Amino acid sequence: MEQKHFLKLLDFTPAEITHFLDVAADLKAKKKQGIQHACCPGKHVALIFEKTSTRTRCAFEVAARDLGMGVTYLDPSGSQIGKKESIADTARVLGRMYDGIEYRGFGQDIVEELAHYAGVPVFNGLTNEFHPTQILADFLTIQEHCGKLKGIKLVYMGDARYNMGNSLMVGCAKMGMHFVACAPKAYFPDQKLIDQCQAIAAETGATLEFMGDPMAATKNADVIYTDVWVSMGEPMEVWEQRIHDLSPYQVNKALMDNAGPQCKFMHCLPAFHDLKTTIGAEMGAKFGRDSMEVTDEVFESPASIVFDEAENRMHTIKAVMAVLMGGM
């Protein structure tokens, strides 16, 4: 594999993405069977989290330890990155001590700069623009439930301007899938990235569509995917505008029925499907809602494969580290 780092799916060929998925499936099978697979013994990885996470942190820590690696977790207060020490200097320090570095935080330029200076593999655990480890988990899950990726119709409902909409569009273009972004026009991905993905789609046979009508968009969908309407780090004032704009794009039973019985529901989590969280209860009381981007009925339905998806974060992240640090 030519790439040393895992920063965005745009950097990889369809064959390379397929290799990650094949390795992930193999390592998942080994873990289920209790077969040891510590292919990176004695290596160490640093996990930089400027934005906290349950799934990403746990996935990287368990995956690294399964591979025989040591792990150091650096939370927002645990390093001087970008505050008292530059990105470049941080990268060069950590690159002398660790065999790999994960970054979860803000701009894509930060993880790209880390990769430029580190001298060891750098992994993108999430930036504002891209979330590539999530897409690998999504694609492994779709393969498991649908038997393939090519030709699968995936409809992304809601705000498609940021990391999830961008990354799903890129991934679907790379893998010859049918991607639909369903949202108000102002919530579509950046046109420059759309053009780039359309060029990729012309080579892979993928279809990319951008629609405002939920019923038209979801007809015959294999997967309906959504995410929270307000992203991490955004001010609370944006809730009212997003709820106003995106309420027609909530995933509910009518939308799933419109897609058909074959349709699966996916969400990268956490999800506001009920009032059992502090923010969910607060926003529910303020706006008179019992759910946001997805109803509890859909989230808890047999069509929902969100927890298979969450588990697969660990297996696909493990594959990325095994390939780029262990040479698999």
Side-chain angles (χ1 to χ4, degrees):
M1 187 168 292
E2 292 185 9
Q3 286 297 324
K4 178 179 181 180
H5 308 289
F6 192 77
L7 307 180
K8 56 188 182 299
L9 290 183
L10 285 168
D11 298 333
F12 295 92
T13 67
E16 289 170 335
I17 294 170
T18 298
H19 181 59
F20 284 128
L21 295 174
D22 289 346
V23 172
D26 178 63
L27 294 177
K28 181 175 181 177
K30 285 183 168 63
K31 187 171 180 68
K32 298 292 185 184
Q33 296 165 28
I35 300 172
Q36 296 296 312
H37 44 278
C39 66
C40 301
K43 293 190 175 182
H44 295 266
V45 62
L47 309 180
I48 302 172
F49 276 66
E50 292 195 293
K51 289 184 179 180
T52 57
S53 168
T54 300
R55 278 152 299 282
T56 303
R57 177 181 177 178
C58 294
F60 266 100
E61 289 201 2
V62 175
R65 292 190 172 111
D66 280 354
L67 294 174
M69 291 195 282
V71 180
T72 300
Y73 173 74
L74 300 171
D75 68 15
S77 64
S79 78
Q80 299 297 338
I81 185 169
K83 299 187 284 287
K84 292 172 66 177
E85 188 166 53
S86 70
I87 308 301
D89 289 357
T90 300
R92 287 179 286 190
V93 169
L94 294 181
R96 298 289 186 100
M97 300 180 182
Y98 292 91
D99 304 286
I101 301 168
E102 178 271 353
Y103 173 81
R104 178 183 174 92
F106 299 97
Q108 182 71 15
D109 58 318
I110 298 174
V111 76
E112 299 276 354
E113 188 173 1
L114 280 171
H116 180 76
Y117 287 101
V120 297
V122 172
F123 313 108
N124 180 358
L126 174 141
T127 62
N128 295 338
E129 294 87 348
F130 295 109
H131 197 359
T133 60
Q134 178 66 53
I135 306 311
L136 285 188
D138 296 339
F139 284 3
L140 180 62
T141 308
I142 292 170
Q143 280 189 166
E144 291 172 344
H145 285 271
C146 300
K148 63 177 183 176
L149 290 177
K150 193 169 183 66
I152 289 294
K153 181 177 179 180
L154 185 150
V155 182
Y156 183 82
M157 303 291 300
D159 192 346
R161 298 172 296 174
Y162 301 116
N163 46 43
M164 284 309 305
N166 289 344
S167 296
L168 283 167
M169 179 173 66
V170 170
C172 288
K174 288 277 185 177
M175 304 311 290
M177 298 168 67
H178 182 177
F179 172 80
V180 182
C182 185
K185 189 174 181 179
Y187 289 83
F188 289 162
D190 179 74
Q191 189 61 49
K192 183 177 179 181
L193 184 60
I194 291 175
D195 293 343
Q196 192 173 2
C197 289
Q198 291 285 21
I200 296 168
E203 298 179 357
T204 64
T207 300
L208 307 180
E209 294 185 296
F210 306 88
M211 306 175 68
D213 182 342
M215 286 298 181
T218 56
K219 193 67 176 175
N220 299 318
D222 297 294
V223 176
I224 295 178
Y225 199 121
T226 193
D227 191 10
V228 293
W229 289 339
V230 178
S231 299
M232 295 174 61
E234 293 188 88
M236 295 299 288
E237 300 81 64
V238 305
W239 277 91
E240 185 170 6
Q241 184 67 49
R242 298 286 172 78
I243 290 172
H244 174 270
D245 293 346
L246 297 176
S247 288
Y249 301 90
Q250 182 191 60
V251 182
N252 52 39
K253 187 176 185 299
L255 213 60
M256 296 296 293
D257 289 346
N258 180 66
Q262 78 291 338
C263 188
K264 303 298 183 184
F265 171 71
M266 299 181 73
H267 193 303
C268 54
L269 303 183
F272 292 116
H273 60 97
D274 57 25
L275 303 179
K276 296 177 182 178
T277 63
T278 303
I279 295 176
E282 181 182 347
M283 293 301 102
K286 184 173 182 179
F287 296 104
R289 301 179 62 92
D290 59 9
S291 59
M292 294 293 175
E293 72 276 5
V294 58
T295 63
D296 194 57
E297 182 179 23
V298 170
F299 189 87
E300 298 292 354
S301 73
S304 177
I305 54 176
V306 298
F307 295 109
D308 292 345
E309 183 185 1
E311 178 193 336
N312 281 338
R313 292 296 308 283
M314 174 180 63
H315 304 301
T316 47
I317 282 170
K318 188 186 299 182
V320 169
M321 291 193 292
V323 170
L324 296 181
M325 295 176 70
M328 291 188 70

